[in-house]
Amino acid sequence: MMFPGIRRGSDSLMVRRPDSLIHGLDDKPRALTLAALGLQHFMVAAPNLAIVVMICRAAGVDAAAAEGVLSFSLIALAIATLVQCSRRLGSGYFIVSCNSGIYLSASLAAATGGLPVVCGMTLVAGIFQAFFASLLVRARRFFPNEIVALSIIIVGIEIGVIGLNRLSGAGVPGLVVGGATFFVSVVFGVFGRGRWRLYCSLLGMACGYLVYLTTGIPGPSSASDAFSSALFGLPSSAHLGLEFDVGYLLPFLFAAVAASLKTMGAVDICARINDAAWVRPEMHAIRRGVLVDGLSTTLSGLFGSTGTNSSTSSVGVSHASGATSRVIGIAVAAWMLVFALSPAFTHLVVTLPDPVVGGMLVFTGCLVIANGFQILGTVPMDMRRAGVVAFPLLVAIARVANAPLFAQLPDSVKPLMSSALAIGVFAALLVNAFLSWGNARQATVALDPGHPVGERLRQVRRILDEWNVAHNVKVRVMLTLRELLDERASSLKLAFNGCTLHIGLTRAAPAQDAQTTPDGRFFADRVSDAMAHRKRADGSSVISLCFEQ
């Protein structure tokens, strides 16, 4: 770090509750309201269970064992959701855990070796993500927002392509069923109001299933068998087992990185929703959130299931409904446990036909791609950032399309190139490192006490504009300097490496006959990511500030 001895700033400025919130972070809704909100969020995350079903089918798991996989998946998700909502152990925000499409491509590839291979590699990915969380603050500069957005876009493309392949497997009738599922989901998602919009995914799946019943497409056993199953019962553990295959290591590790980046975004969104005076990311909460996400995936692997991640759909529902209380996480976890112990529910999920699952995955993939482009829209784009996004995205699309280039690679390399996400993120990291070489900027500004503060701030603002510093960083810098720049401020040193902005403000020693007053550092200590104050032997002092972009 440029300035030694910097300590972390406070993670809270003066939290201002938004007027749109009905049940804020620390509120406790009434029992009936809490149960209804918990059920709503469970139903929002429930469509992701189709991912588990698809992987089980690819691994050749029979229906009875797949029901056990679903039950243990829900148990792992319930534990993860409880821990994630804890202020001491998790991020402290209401974030629901769900089975993630990020691991779908890697899991389908590993499923050729059986479900134990999928579980073993999921366990490895979770451990790696938990380790990655401990390095998150230092490694943040290597994962700028454009790479976060790129990884999410590639995940969406992979999910959508897998969905198209699934629904097209049954020919024209399958396309009709998948198209109906997708179309109804889009209609209710765009034109629906209230609960109709919240449940657009479930409505699309229900409509697709009704169309499926009229086509006569052969598929799993009838859903009517679910009503003859026991309402409650203990899940089967016959599927539990772990195996490892190094050939699938790289796709799972890159999927873990992508899952970490998505969780970073989810925690950041929650912080903005719950604080109208939000000014910067809460890195401590983000690190804990990523750590819990990794432990959740680890637990899911041990329980014989697939990788997990934070449900951004649930975060969106929290924002739309104005209910962000962390207590709702307890209700969601309770519903997960109830359905985990219900063979009737798990049987109903297992009997979902491939065209319905495929249509749902296409809809989910479109939403994920849109989220990625929204994050990309917040990046101040220049030629360097465009290169970081464009070339890796092209390579990832070529992998999804099975371009002849990858068929010509040596056999020893092909397993490492099986995932478009792994290839895209790896290429983005290389391009970012190459284009960032020699990109560090430095500037020293001499501060004339005779000039007004506004003129000195405009001088600094012009430098930050030339360096293409993100808007939120410039706002925080201006707020901090307006507080610190006075008649004692003599010089300002700026350094920017493309991700982190370092500022060193030199203040002259006070005059001997001047009354000593404490430095005003209210905003400086709270809107900066790190701060240090050092006095020199000649009486002058240096205030060192750090701002993460």
Side-chain angles (χ1 to χ4, degrees), residues 129-158:
Q129 186 178 358
F131 173 74
F132 180 76
S134 64
L135 305 176
L136 191 59
V137 176
R138 295 183 180 180
R140 179 68 178 87
R141 58 171 297 189
F142 300 106
F143 297 95
N145 285 341
E146 55 266 27
I147 293 184
V148 175
L150 174 67
S151 64
I152 293 176
I153 291 172
I154 295 175
V155 167
I157 293 174
E158 283 192 314

PDB file of all heavy atoms in Angstrom, residues 129-158:
ATOM      1  N   GLN A 129     -13.702 -20.488  -2.361  1.00  0.00           N
ATOM      2  CA  GLN A 129     -14.391 -19.213  -2.224  1.00  0.00           C
ATOM      3  C   GLN A 129     -14.237 -18.653  -0.811  1.00  0.00           C
ATOM      4  O   GLN A 129     -14.075 -17.436  -0.631  1.00  0.00           O
ATOM      5  CB  GLN A 129     -15.875 -19.373  -2.563  1.00  0.00           C
ATOM      6  CG  GLN A 129     -16.633 -18.062  -2.582  1.00  0.00           C
ATOM      7  CD  GLN A 129     -18.081 -18.233  -2.964  1.00  0.00           C
ATOM      8  OE1 GLN A 129     -18.530 -19.336  -3.265  1.00  0.00           O
ATOM      9  NE2 GLN A 129     -18.836 -17.149  -2.965  1.00  0.00           N
ATOM     10  N   ALA A 130     -14.289 -19.524   0.195  1.00  0.00           N
ATOM     11  CA  ALA A 130     -14.080 -19.063   1.569  1.00  0.00           C
ATOM     12  C   ALA A 130     -12.670 -18.507   1.744  1.00  0.00           C
ATOM     13  O   ALA A 130     -12.469 -17.486   2.427  1.00  0.00           O
ATOM     14  CB  ALA A 130     -14.328 -20.211   2.545  1.00  0.00           C
ATOM     15  N   PHE A 131     -11.682 -19.142   1.116  1.00  0.00           N
ATOM     16  CA  PHE A 131     -10.310 -18.624   1.163  1.00  0.00           C
ATOM     17  C   PHE A 131     -10.202 -17.314   0.389  1.00  0.00           C
ATOM     18  O   PHE A 131      -9.524 -16.373   0.823  1.00  0.00           O
ATOM     19  CB  PHE A 131      -9.353 -19.666   0.579  1.00  0.00           C
ATOM     20  CG  PHE A 131      -7.939 -19.177   0.413  1.00  0.00           C
ATOM     21  CD1 PHE A 131      -7.107 -19.024   1.510  1.00  0.00           C
ATOM     22  CD2 PHE A 131      -7.444 -18.860  -0.846  1.00  0.00           C
ATOM     23  CE1 PHE A 131      -5.804 -18.558   1.358  1.00  0.00           C
ATOM     24  CE2 PHE A 131      -6.151 -18.405  -1.008  1.00  0.00           C
ATOM     25  CZ  PHE A 131      -5.334 -18.249   0.100  1.00  0.00           C
ATOM     26  N   PHE A 132     -10.892 -17.237  -0.749  1.00  0.00           N
ATOM     27  CA  PHE A 132     -10.866 -16.024  -1.559  1.00  0.00           C
ATOM     28  C   PHE A 132     -11.430 -14.836  -0.793  1.00  0.00           C
ATOM     29  O   PHE A 132     -10.982 -13.700  -0.979  1.00  0.00           O
ATOM     30  CB  PHE A 132     -11.656 -16.259  -2.846  1.00  0.00           C
ATOM     31  CG  PHE A 132     -11.702 -15.079  -3.773  1.00  0.00           C
ATOM     32  CD1 PHE A 132     -10.608 -14.743  -4.549  1.00  0.00           C
ATOM     33  CD2 PHE A 132     -12.849 -14.307  -3.874  1.00  0.00           C
ATOM     34  CE1 PHE A 132     -10.646 -13.657  -5.398  1.00  0.00           C
ATOM     35  CE2 PHE A 132     -12.901 -13.229  -4.730  1.00  0.00           C
ATOM     36  CZ  PHE A 132     -11.797 -12.906  -5.497  1.00  0.00           C
ATOM     37  N   ALA A 133     -12.417 -15.077   0.077  1.00  0.00           N
ATOM     38  CA  ALA A 133     -13.012 -13.992   0.859  1.00  0.00           C
ATOM     39  C   ALA A 133     -11.986 -13.321   1.759  1.00  0.00           C
ATOM     40  O   ALA A 133     -12.039 -12.104   1.976  1.00  0.00           O
ATOM     41  CB  ALA A 133     -14.172 -14.536   1.699  1.00  0.00           C
ATOM     42  N   SER A 134     -11.034 -14.092   2.289  1.00  0.00           N
ATOM     43  CA  SER A 134     -10.008 -13.512   3.158  1.00  0.00           C
ATOM     44  C   SER A 134      -9.055 -12.610   2.402  1.00  0.00           C
ATOM     45  O   SER A 134      -8.410 -11.743   2.988  1.00  0.00           O
ATOM     46  CB  SER A 134      -9.223 -14.625   3.863  1.00  0.00           C
ATOM     47  OG  SER A 134      -8.517 -15.415   2.910  1.00  0.00           O
ATOM     48  N   LEU A 135      -8.956 -12.797   1.086  1.00  0.00           N
ATOM     49  CA  LEU A 135      -8.069 -11.978   0.264  1.00  0.00           C
ATOM     50  C   LEU A 135      -8.825 -10.914  -0.513  1.00  0.00           C
ATOM     51  O   LEU A 135      -8.228 -10.215  -1.348  1.00  0.00           O
ATOM     52  CB  LEU A 135      -7.310 -12.871  -0.739  1.00  0.00           C
ATOM     53  CG  LEU A 135      -6.512 -14.034  -0.152  1.00  0.00           C
ATOM     54  CD1 LEU A 135      -5.917 -14.869  -1.286  1.00  0.00           C
ATOM     55  CD2 LEU A 135      -5.422 -13.531   0.769  1.00  0.00           C
ATOM     56  N   LEU A 136     -10.108 -10.782  -0.245  1.00  0.00           N
ATOM     57  CA  LEU A 136     -10.959  -9.966  -1.103  1.00  0.00           C
ATOM     58  C   LEU A 136     -10.536  -8.507  -1.132  1.00  0.00           C
ATOM     59  O   LEU A 136     -10.513  -7.875  -2.204  1.00  0.00           O
ATOM     60  CB  LEU A 136     -12.413 -10.085  -0.630  1.00  0.00           C
ATOM     61  CG  LEU A 136     -13.466  -9.515  -1.560  1.00  0.00           C
ATOM     62  CD1 LEU A 136     -13.402 -10.189  -2.913  1.00  0.00           C
ATOM     63  CD2 LEU A 136     -14.846  -9.679  -0.950  1.00  0.00           C
ATOM     64  N   VAL A 137     -10.208  -7.925   0.023  1.00  0.00           N
ATOM     65  CA  VAL A 137      -9.863  -6.504   0.069  1.00  0.00           C
ATOM     66  C   VAL A 137      -8.591  -6.233  -0.726  1.00  0.00           C
ATOM     67  O   VAL A 137      -8.516  -5.292  -1.512  1.00  0.00           O
ATOM     68  CB  VAL A 137      -9.710  -6.042   1.529  1.00  0.00           C
ATOM     69  CG1 VAL A 137      -9.256  -4.595   1.579  1.00  0.00           C
ATOM     70  CG2 VAL A 137     -11.028  -6.208   2.278  1.00  0.00           C
ATOM     71  N   ARG A 138      -7.578  -7.096  -0.546  1.00  0.00           N
ATOM     72  CA  ARG A 138      -6.326  -6.885  -1.266  1.00  0.00           C
ATOM     73  C   ARG A 138      -6.456  -7.192  -2.750  1.00  0.00           C
ATOM     74  O   ARG A 138      -5.789  -6.563  -3.583  1.00  0.00           O
ATOM     75  CB  ARG A 138      -5.234  -7.766  -0.654  1.00  0.00           C
ATOM     76  CG  ARG A 138      -4.878  -7.407   0.784  1.00  0.00           C
ATOM     77  CD  ARG A 138      -3.749  -8.280   1.297  1.00  0.00           C
ATOM     78  NE  ARG A 138      -3.405  -7.949   2.677  1.00  0.00           N
ATOM     79  CZ  ARG A 138      -2.440  -8.564   3.365  1.00  0.00           C
ATOM     80  NH1 ARG A 138      -1.753  -9.551   2.805  1.00  0.00           N
ATOM     81  NH2 ARG A 138      -2.192  -8.204   4.606  1.00  0.00           N
ATOM     82  N   ALA A 139      -7.304  -8.161  -3.095  1.00  0.00           N
ATOM     83  CA  ALA A 139      -7.438  -8.561  -4.500  1.00  0.00           C
ATOM     84  C   ALA A 139      -8.484  -7.746  -5.243  1.00  0.00           C
ATOM     85  O   ALA A 139      -8.712  -7.985  -6.427  1.00  0.00           O
ATOM     86  CB  ALA A 139      -7.796 -10.046  -4.576  1.00  0.00           C
ATOM     87  N   ARG A 140      -9.108  -6.784  -4.582  1.00  0.00           N
ATOM     88  CA  ARG A 140     -10.200  -6.031  -5.201  1.00  0.00           C
ATOM     89  C   ARG A 140      -9.747  -5.322  -6.475  1.00  0.00           C
ATOM     90  O   ARG A 140     -10.519  -5.230  -7.436  1.00  0.00           O
ATOM     91  CB  ARG A 140     -10.733  -5.007  -4.193  1.00  0.00           C
ATOM     92  CG  ARG A 140     -11.859  -4.146  -4.726  1.00  0.00           C
ATOM     93  CD  ARG A 140     -13.113  -4.950  -4.947  1.00  0.00           C
ATOM     94  NE  ARG A 140     -14.201  -4.112  -5.416  1.00  0.00           N
ATOM     95  CZ  ARG A 140     -14.435  -3.812  -6.672  1.00  0.00           C
ATOM     96  NH1 ARG A 140     -13.653  -4.323  -7.627  1.00  0.00           N
ATOM     97  NH2 ARG A 140     -15.433  -3.037  -7.021  1.00  0.00           N
ATOM     98  N   ARG A 141      -8.535  -4.845  -6.538  1.00  0.00           N
ATOM     99  CA  ARG A 141      -8.075  -4.097  -7.703  1.00  0.00           C
ATOM    100  C   ARG A 141      -7.996  -4.967  -8.953  1.00  0.00           C
ATOM    101  O   ARG A 141      -8.044  -4.461 -10.073  1.00  0.00           O
ATOM    102  CB  ARG A 141      -6.697  -3.486  -7.440  1.00  0.00           C
ATOM    103  CG  ARG A 141      -5.615  -4.483  -7.094  1.00  0.00           C
ATOM    104  CD  ARG A 141      -4.251  -3.832  -7.074  1.00  0.00           C
ATOM    105  NE  ARG A 141      -3.894  -3.322  -8.396  1.00  0.00           N
ATOM    106  CZ  ARG A 141      -2.690  -2.863  -8.712  1.00  0.00           C
ATOM    107  NH1 ARG A 141      -1.746  -2.816  -7.787  1.00  0.00           N
ATOM    108  NH2 ARG A 141      -2.433  -2.428  -9.915  1.00  0.00           N
ATOM    109  N   PHE A 142      -7.868  -6.289  -8.763  1.00  0.00           N
ATOM    110  CA  PHE A 142      -7.797  -7.198  -9.909  1.00  0.00           C
ATOM    111  C   PHE A 142      -9.186  -7.588 -10.421  1.00  0.00           C
ATOM    112  O   PHE A 142      -9.295  -8.254 -11.454  1.00  0.00           O
ATOM    113  CB  PHE A 142      -7.028  -8.465  -9.537  1.00  0.00           C
ATOM    114  CG  PHE A 142      -5.612  -8.198  -9.107  1.00  0.00           C
ATOM    115  CD1 PHE A 142      -5.243  -8.291  -7.778  1.00  0.00           C
ATOM    116  CD2 PHE A 142      -4.646  -7.832 -10.033  1.00  0.00           C
ATOM    117  CE1 PHE A 142      -3.945  -8.044  -7.369  1.00  0.00           C
ATOM    118  CE2 PHE A 142      -3.342  -7.576  -9.640  1.00  0.00           C
ATOM    119  CZ  PHE A 142      -2.990  -7.682  -8.305  1.00  0.00           C
ATOM    120  N   PHE A 143     -10.229  -7.189  -9.703  1.00  0.00           N
ATOM    121  CA  PHE A 143     -11.596  -7.538 -10.100  1.00  0.00           C
ATOM    122  C   PHE A 143     -12.440  -6.262 -10.148  1.00  0.00           C
ATOM    123  O   PHE A 143     -13.359  -6.084  -9.335  1.00  0.00           O
ATOM    124  CB  PHE A 143     -12.195  -8.548  -9.130  1.00  0.00           C
ATOM    125  CG  PHE A 143     -11.464  -9.857  -9.101  1.00  0.00           C
ATOM    126  CD1 PHE A 143     -10.481 -10.089  -8.156  1.00  0.00           C
ATOM    127  CD2 PHE A 143     -11.745 -10.844 -10.030  1.00  0.00           C
ATOM    128  CE1 PHE A 143      -9.789 -11.290  -8.124  1.00  0.00           C
ATOM    129  CE2 PHE A 143     -11.062 -12.052 -10.000  1.00  0.00           C
ATOM    130  CZ  PHE A 143     -10.082 -12.272  -9.056  1.00  0.00           C
ATOM    131  N   PRO A 144     -12.137  -5.364 -11.069  1.00  0.00           N
ATOM    132  CA  PRO A 144     -12.950  -4.143 -11.192  1.00  0.00           C
ATOM    133  C   PRO A 144     -14.361  -4.457 -11.647  1.00  0.00           C
ATOM    134  O   PRO A 144     -14.689  -5.593 -12.024  1.00  0.00           O
ATOM    135  CB  PRO A 144     -12.180  -3.328 -12.243  1.00  0.00           C
ATOM    136  CG  PRO A 144     -11.436  -4.344 -13.043  1.00  0.00           C
ATOM    137  CD  PRO A 144     -11.077  -5.441 -12.084  1.00  0.00           C
ATOM    138  N   ASN A 145     -15.212  -3.442 -11.633  1.00  0.00           N
ATOM    139  CA  ASN A 145     -16.624  -3.656 -11.931  1.00  0.00           C
ATOM    140  C   ASN A 145     -16.854  -4.188 -13.334  1.00  0.00           C
ATOM    141  O   ASN A 145     -17.818  -4.927 -13.566  1.00  0.00           O
ATOM    142  CB  ASN A 145     -17.403  -2.348 -11.748  1.00  0.00           C
ATOM    143  CG  ASN A 145     -17.607  -2.006 -10.287  1.00  0.00           C
ATOM    144  OD1 ASN A 145     -17.492  -2.862  -9.421  1.00  0.00           O
ATOM    145  ND2 ASN A 145     -17.902  -0.762  -9.998  1.00  0.00           N
ATOM    146  N   GLU A 146     -15.978  -3.839 -14.288  1.00  0.00           N
ATOM    147  CA  GLU A 146     -16.193  -4.347 -15.644  1.00  0.00           C
ATOM    148  C   GLU A 146     -16.004  -5.860 -15.719  1.00  0.00           C
ATOM    149  O   GLU A 146     -16.690  -6.547 -16.480  1.00  0.00           O
ATOM    150  CB  GLU A 146     -15.266  -3.645 -16.646  1.00  0.00           C
ATOM    151  CG  GLU A 146     -13.797  -3.692 -16.319  1.00  0.00           C
ATOM    152  CD  GLU A 146     -13.329  -2.471 -15.557  1.00  0.00           C
ATOM    153  OE1 GLU A 146     -14.162  -1.860 -14.846  1.00  0.00           O
ATOM    154  OE2 GLU A 146     -12.141  -2.131 -15.653  1.00  0.00           O
ATOM    155  N   ILE A 147     -15.092  -6.410 -14.904  1.00  0.00           N
ATOM    156  CA  ILE A 147     -14.922  -7.866 -14.882  1.00  0.00           C
ATOM    157  C   ILE A 147     -16.083  -8.520 -14.135  1.00  0.00           C
ATOM    158  O   ILE A 147     -16.529  -9.619 -14.502  1.00  0.00           O
ATOM    159  CB  ILE A 147     -13.568  -8.235 -14.250  1.00  0.00           C
ATOM    160  CG1 ILE A 147     -12.420  -7.752 -15.156  1.00  0.00           C
ATOM    161  CG2 ILE A 147     -13.456  -9.731 -14.025  1.00  0.00           C
ATOM    162  CD1 ILE A 147     -11.042  -8.146 -14.681  1.00  0.00           C
ATOM    163  N   VAL A 148     -16.589  -7.858 -13.081  1.00  0.00           N
ATOM    164  CA  VAL A 148     -17.779  -8.362 -12.394  1.00  0.00           C
ATOM    165  C   VAL A 148     -18.946  -8.457 -13.379  1.00  0.00           C
ATOM    166  O   VAL A 148     -19.635  -9.481 -13.466  1.00  0.00           O
ATOM    167  CB  VAL A 148     -18.147  -7.447 -11.215  1.00  0.00           C
ATOM    168  CG1 VAL A 148     -19.455  -7.904 -10.574  1.00  0.00           C
ATOM    169  CG2 VAL A 148     -17.031  -7.432 -10.180  1.00  0.00           C
ATOM    170  N   ALA A 149     -19.158  -7.373 -14.132  1.00  0.00           N
ATOM    171  CA  ALA A 149     -20.255  -7.363 -15.113  1.00  0.00           C
ATOM    172  C   ALA A 149     -20.035  -8.414 -16.189  1.00  0.00           C
ATOM    173  O   ALA A 149     -20.975  -9.108 -16.594  1.00  0.00           O
ATOM    174  CB  ALA A 149     -20.370  -5.969 -15.737  1.00  0.00           C
ATOM    175  N   LEU A 150     -18.796  -8.549 -16.663  1.00  0.00           N
ATOM    176  CA  LEU A 150     -18.492  -9.532 -17.708  1.00  0.00           C
ATOM    177  C   LEU A 150     -18.805 -10.946 -17.237  1.00  0.00           C
ATOM    178  O   LEU A 150     -19.419 -11.737 -17.977  1.00  0.00           O
ATOM    179  CB  LEU A 150     -17.020  -9.422 -18.112  1.00  0.00           C
ATOM    180  CG  LEU A 150     -16.512 -10.491 -19.090  1.00  0.00           C
ATOM    181  CD1 LEU A 150     -17.175 -10.322 -20.441  1.00  0.00           C
ATOM    182  CD2 LEU A 150     -14.991 -10.436 -19.199  1.00  0.00           C
ATOM    183  N   SER A 151     -18.400 -11.288 -16.026  1.00  0.00           N
ATOM    184  CA  SER A 151     -18.651 -12.639 -15.515  1.00  0.00           C
ATOM    185  C   SER A 151     -20.141 -12.922 -15.420  1.00  0.00           C
ATOM    186  O   SER A 151     -20.601 -14.026 -15.738  1.00  0.00           O
ATOM    187  CB  SER A 151     -17.977 -12.816 -14.151  1.00  0.00           C
ATOM    188  OG  SER A 151     -18.546 -11.944 -13.186  1.00  0.00           O
ATOM    189  N   ILE A 152     -20.932 -11.935 -15.003  1.00  0.00           N
ATOM    190  CA  ILE A 152     -22.376 -12.126 -14.888  1.00  0.00           C
ATOM    191  C   ILE A 152     -23.005 -12.294 -16.273  1.00  0.00           C
ATOM    192  O   ILE A 152     -23.886 -13.137 -16.473  1.00  0.00           O
ATOM    193  CB  ILE A 152     -23.005 -10.944 -14.133  1.00  0.00           C
ATOM    194  CG1 ILE A 152     -22.518 -10.949 -12.676  1.00  0.00           C
ATOM    195  CG2 ILE A 152     -24.525 -11.008 -14.190  1.00  0.00           C
ATOM    196  CD1 ILE A 152     -22.992  -9.775 -11.864  1.00  0.00           C
ATOM    197  N   ILE A 153     -22.539 -11.527 -17.251  1.00  0.00           N
ATOM    198  CA  ILE A 153     -23.067 -11.642 -18.619  1.00  0.00           C
ATOM    199  C   ILE A 153     -22.767 -13.030 -19.187  1.00  0.00           C
ATOM    200  O   ILE A 153     -23.633 -13.670 -19.806  1.00  0.00           O
ATOM    201  CB  ILE A 153     -22.472 -10.542 -19.515  1.00  0.00           C
ATOM    202  CG1 ILE A 153     -23.006  -9.174 -19.091  1.00  0.00           C
ATOM    203  CG2 ILE A 153     -22.810 -10.796 -20.984  1.00  0.00           C
ATOM    204  CD1 ILE A 153     -22.328  -8.013 -19.783  1.00  0.00           C
ATOM    205  N   ILE A 154     -21.549 -13.521 -18.981  1.00  0.00           N
ATOM    206  CA  ILE A 154     -21.186 -14.854 -19.493  1.00  0.00           C
ATOM    207  C   ILE A 154     -22.027 -15.930 -18.825  1.00  0.00           C
ATOM    208  O   ILE A 154     -22.479 -16.890 -19.478  1.00  0.00           O
ATOM    209  CB  ILE A 154     -19.684 -15.112 -19.279  1.00  0.00           C
ATOM    210  CG1 ILE A 154     -18.850 -14.131 -20.119  1.00  0.00           C
ATOM    211  CG2 ILE A 154     -19.327 -16.551 -19.671  1.00  0.00           C
ATOM    212  CD1 ILE A 154     -17.356 -14.240 -19.881  1.00  0.00           C
ATOM    213  N   VAL A 155     -22.259 -15.793 -17.508  1.00  0.00           N
ATOM    214  CA  VAL A 155     -23.120 -16.752 -16.809  1.00  0.00           C
ATOM    215  C   VAL A 155     -24.512 -16.766 -17.432  1.00  0.00           C
ATOM    216  O   VAL A 155     -25.103 -17.825 -17.664  1.00  0.00           O
ATOM    217  CB  VAL A 155     -23.195 -16.408 -15.300  1.00  0.00           C
ATOM    218  CG1 VAL A 155     -24.320 -17.188 -14.633  1.00  0.00           C
ATOM    219  CG2 VAL A 155     -21.872 -16.725 -14.623  1.00  0.00           C
ATOM    220  N   GLY A 156     -25.052 -15.583 -17.713  1.00  0.00           N
ATOM    221  CA  GLY A 156     -26.363 -15.506 -18.334  1.00  0.00           C
ATOM    222  C   GLY A 156     -26.401 -16.166 -19.707  1.00  0.00           C
ATOM    223  O   GLY A 156     -27.370 -16.856 -20.049  1.00  0.00           O
ATOM    224  N   ILE A 157     -25.353 -15.962 -20.494  1.00  0.00           N
ATOM    225  CA  ILE A 157     -25.288 -16.597 -21.821  1.00  0.00           C
ATOM    226  C   ILE A 157     -25.245 -18.116 -21.687  1.00  0.00           C
ATOM    227  O   ILE A 157     -25.957 -18.845 -22.401  1.00  0.00           O
ATOM    228  CB  ILE A 157     -24.061 -16.081 -22.599  1.00  0.00           C
ATOM    229  CG1 ILE A 157     -24.237 -14.593 -22.932  1.00  0.00           C
ATOM    230  CG2 ILE A 157     -23.843 -16.893 -23.874  1.00  0.00           C
ATOM    231  CD1 ILE A 157     -23.017 -13.968 -23.575  1.00  0.00           C
ATOM    232  N   GLU A 158     -24.432 -18.626 -20.775  1.00  0.00           N
ATOM    233  CA  GLU A 158     -24.346 -20.072 -20.572  1.00  0.00           C
ATOM    234  C   GLU A 158     -25.685 -20.655 -20.135  1.00  0.00           C
ATOM    235  O   GLU A 158     -26.133 -21.698 -20.656  1.00  0.00           O
ATOM    236  CB  GLU A 158     -23.273 -20.392 -19.529  1.00  0.00           C
ATOM    237  CG  GLU A 158     -21.851 -20.296 -20.047  1.00  0.00           C
ATOM    238  CD  GLU A 158     -20.855 -20.892 -19.089  1.00  0.00           C
ATOM    239  OE1 GLU A 158     -20.947 -20.608 -17.884  1.00  0.00           O
ATOM    240  OE2 GLU A 158     -19.972 -21.646 -19.519  1.00  0.00           O
TER     241      GLU A 158
END
